[in-house]
Amino acid sequence: MNYYNLKDRHEQVDFKTATIKGQGKEKGLFFPEVIPQFEKEFINNLSQFSNEEIAWRCMADFVGNEIPVEVLKKITAETIQFDIPLKKINDSISVLELFHGPTLAFKDVGAGFMSRCLSYFLQDENKKVTVLAATSGDTGGAVAHGFYKAPGIDVVILYPKNRVSKVQEKQLTALGENITALEVDGSFDDCQHLVKQAFADEEINHHILLTSANSINAARWLPQQIYYLLALKQWQQSEKEAPVICVPSGNFGNICAGLLAHFRGLPADHFIAACNENDVIPQYLKTQTLNIKPTVATLSNAMDVGNPSNFVRILELFDHQFNTLKNTVSGYSIDDKTTLETIAKVYTEYGYMLDPHAAVAYASLEEYLTLHPDKKGFILGTAHPVKFPDAVEKATKVEIKIPDSLGDLMSREKKTVEINSDFKELKRFLLDKN
Ligand SMILES: *Cc1c(COP(=O)(O)O)cnc(C)c1O
């Protein structure tokens, strides 16, 4: 499969190059040159296929012969080696729990697939690669775990000191081995700025092969389709009509993967982009004008994005036809007050604990279903509530139990290198290390 650069169609690359480079010229995103269709017998009879078979079939066309079938089957099986259950919250709303992976967030799926592909592509190159990423919390953990102990790959994660939750911090800092956490005295924007400077620095790039692992990489974006299929497999067991699918959205990679699966034949009645107060896309869907705004800090902080980078992929998928897009996707914006009220209400009424991101989705879907009472749907549960204890405990007045899957993580030692937000410090660290 070839991928073209959305900023310059003449730039076409294979899957390997798209995975290693992450993005094309002028920071353009890569997009598949064809949208491969699912076979009808497959998509209508998902229950007859194992999850591993579904995951492999979902990805095979996008990788082509660049990874041998047996290797790709192993990679896709490992990508979904944790439970992804669809649970009913009430009669009309279910939740797809995507947070049973190593870092308790849906990003484990994309990061796990991407890291395995990258390791495969680099194994014969005899080069050492440094994956450099800034995180506001969830991305860093998923990337660190995805690359943990991967041969030939070093990971350096920058995170803002005192601004990630306790669980998130441990996930970044307690691994050791090939993972280094840089604790930056600054904000997430400072971290991101430092990373950008490093990618642009000639001296660093002369000495070190740097790769980014951010969410616009096609190898992180595409495998997210897999769990939409796994959700549908479970949905079909009790429901006849296609679901309304509601996705808590920040950079819009997750919902864009669901829409891609829909274009390939995945049945869905409607999609909802659930946003917090960062409402650029919900506003666009109403007014057809894209009004990029500075980011507002909210309780669902993984969705605090003012300029969603994957939205260009959605426009491309819809061939820039606004009306078709509007008829397929609705946008909602939910404020922090409603987020907390929703967490409290759903816990009291149904005994189900939502994290703030899933709460934004729940409130959005509930609002949509008030207008369409004959429909049913599911939300994507993108993070475990334990990652956002402050908001969840405030809303429910209940202390959240740390899940067994975290093992002894919380008692392990935190190891970081502290730097300030001056680029010279990062540069010295990277050059000394290699
Ligand atoms: C990253 C993240 C999101 C947003 O996903 P996008 O693909 O960027 O839209 C939503 N919820 C959680 C918990 C996240 O970590």
Side-chain angles (χ1 to χ4, degrees):
M1 170 80 85
N2 269 338
Y3 295 78
Y4 58 88
N5 179 344
L6 286 177
K7 287 232 172 105
D8 176 2
R9 280 181 182 258
H10 297 298
E11 185 183 0
Q12 299 227 355
V13 298
D14 57 11
F15 178 70
K16 174 178 175 177
T17 311
T19 302
I20 295 175
K21 285 181 69 176
Q23 54 190 336
K25 287 178 208 137
E26 294 174 60
K27 304 206 180 96
L29 271 61
F30 288 122
F31 195 86
E33 62 176 351
V34 288
I35 307 296
Q37 297 297 302
F38 293 127
E39 285 170 29
K40 285 241 155 34
E41 304 84 71
F42 170 64
I43 204 76
N44 293 330
N45 299 290
L46 288 169
S47 65
Q48 289 169 22
F49 296 86
S50 69
N51 289 355
E52 288 75 15
E53 177 77 12
I54 290 172
W56 172 69
R57 284 188 179 224
C58 179
M59 295 310 295
D61 288 331
F62 292 100
V63 179
N65 57 12
E66 295 177 56
I67 297 179
V69 171
E70 288 319 309
V71 178
L72 183 63
K73 283 193 168 176
K74 185 163 176 284
I75 291 176
T76 46
E78 286 173 2
T79 300
I80 51 151
Q81 64 192 348
F82 45 86
D83 285 344
I84 304 184
L86 183 72
K87 292 188 180 164
K88 253 185 161 25
I89 297 181
N90 57 39
D91 216 30
S92 50
I93 300 185
S94 301
V95 53
L96 183 70
E97 293 187 345
L98 290 166
F99 49 72
H100 298 291
T103 75
L104 311 178
F106 82 102
K107 291 189 172 75
D108 284 326
V109 174
F113 181 81
M114 181 193 154
S115 61
R116 289 180 173 89
C117 291
L118 197 57
S119 299
Y120 174 79
F121 288 137
L122 295 172
Q123 66 185 358
D124 302 327
E125 306 248 325
N126 210 5
K127 278 188 215 150
K128 210 172 147 180
V129 174
T130 298
V131 174
L132 186 67
T135 186
S136 60
D138 273 354
T139 299
V143 168
H145 276 263
F147 287 98
Y148 186 48
K149 295 188 186 172
I153 300 180
D154 272 342
V155 178
V156 177
I157 309 276
L158 285 76
Y159 76 98
K161 186 182 172 85
N162 295 331
R163 297 198 202 186
V164 301
S165 77
K166 282 203 181 64
V167 171
Q168 287 175 327
E169 181 165 55
K170 285 283 183 180
Q171 287 173 337
L172 290 170
T173 61
L175 285 172
E177 303 268 351
N178 60 330
I179 314 292
T180 308
L182 297 183
E183 190 173 7
V184 179
D185 192 4
S187 67
F188 169 60
D189 288 330
D190 294 328
C191 297
Q192 214 163 16
H193 187 60
L194 286 171
V195 166
K196 283 193 185 142
Q197 282 175 286
F199 278 106
D201 187 276
E202 265 180 45
E203 195 183 351
I204 293 179
N205 284 283
H206 182 73
H207 290 283
I208 307 170
L209 188 57
L210 279 187
T211 306
S212 99
N214 70 27
S215 64
I216 58 179
N217 192 304
R220 257 190 77 181
W221 168 51
L222 295 167
Q224 299 178 121
Q225 296 173 87
I226 296 170
Y227 46 70
Y228 289 89
L229 296 178
L230 301 182
L232 198 75
K233 173 181 173 181
Q234 299 172 72
W235 181 264
Q236 286 170 344
Q237 278 161 18
S238 59
E239 303 290 341
K240 295 230 154 26
E241 306 297 328
V244 176
I245 301 177
C246 180
V247 188
S249 295
N251 246 333
F252 279 68
N254 198 0
I255 191 169
C256 186
L259 289 166
L260 175 61
H262 183 49
F263 271 77
R264 299 175 68 192
L266 175 104
D269 182 87
H270 196 67
F271 279 83
I272 295 176
C275 296
N276 55 32
E277 280 151 85
N278 296 284
D279 64 348
V280 174
I281 303 304
Q283 285 303 332
Y284 173 80
L285 291 168
K286 285 198 190 86
T287 61
Q288 209 181 344
T289 34
L290 203 56
N291 189 5
I292 306 303
K293 290 187 269 191
T295 308
V296 187
T298 74
L299 293 173
S300 45
N301 60 17
M303 309 198 298
D304 293 349
V305 180
N307 186 5
S309 36
N310 276 289
F311 194 61
V312 288
R313 283 191 171 128
I314 295 184
L315 292 176
E316 185 73 5
L317 201 49
F318 281 87
D319 204 15
H320 300 263
Q321 299 299 309
F322 180 73
N323 283 330
T324 329
L325 171 60
K326 200 180 66 174
N327 292 335
T328 311
V329 186
S330 300
Y332 285 87
S333 165
I334 303 295
D335 64 18
D336 275 355
K337 182 166 169 281
T338 310
T339 303
L340 286 175
E341 284 165 6
T342 303
I343 296 173
K345 185 183 81 177
V346 171
Y347 186 69
T348 317
E349 286 182 15
Y350 309 111
Y352 190 85
M353 201 177 265
L354 295 166
D355 93 286
H357 305 76
V360 166
Y362 186 96
S364 303
L365 181 55
E366 191 176 46
E367 205 175 319
Y368 180 82
L369 293 179
T370 319
L371 301 174
H372 306 272
D374 51 326
K375 296 183 181 178
K376 294 181 180 185
F378 63 83
I379 60 171
L380 267 52
T382 45
H384 194 289
V386 80
K387 298 189 86 171
F388 303 93
D390 296 349
V392 176
E393 289 176 4
K394 184 172 165 194
T396 60
K397 317 274 186 288
V398 175
E399 197 184 324
I400 314 174
K401 214 178 126 259
I402 299 216
D404 297 338
S405 61
L406 277 190
D408 63 351
L409 180 75
M410 298 312 283
S411 60
R412 275 193 254 158
E413 195 191 338
K414 161 183 163 181
K415 282 198 206 99
T416 66
V417 175
E418 295 198 41
I419 63 170
N420 62 31
S421 53
D422 180 355
F423 178 61
K424 275 194 237 106
E425 282 204 34
L426 175 63
K427 183 164 175 170
R428 190 170 340 113
F429 170 81
L430 289 171
L431 293 175
D432 285 355
K433 193 169 146 304
N434 284 272

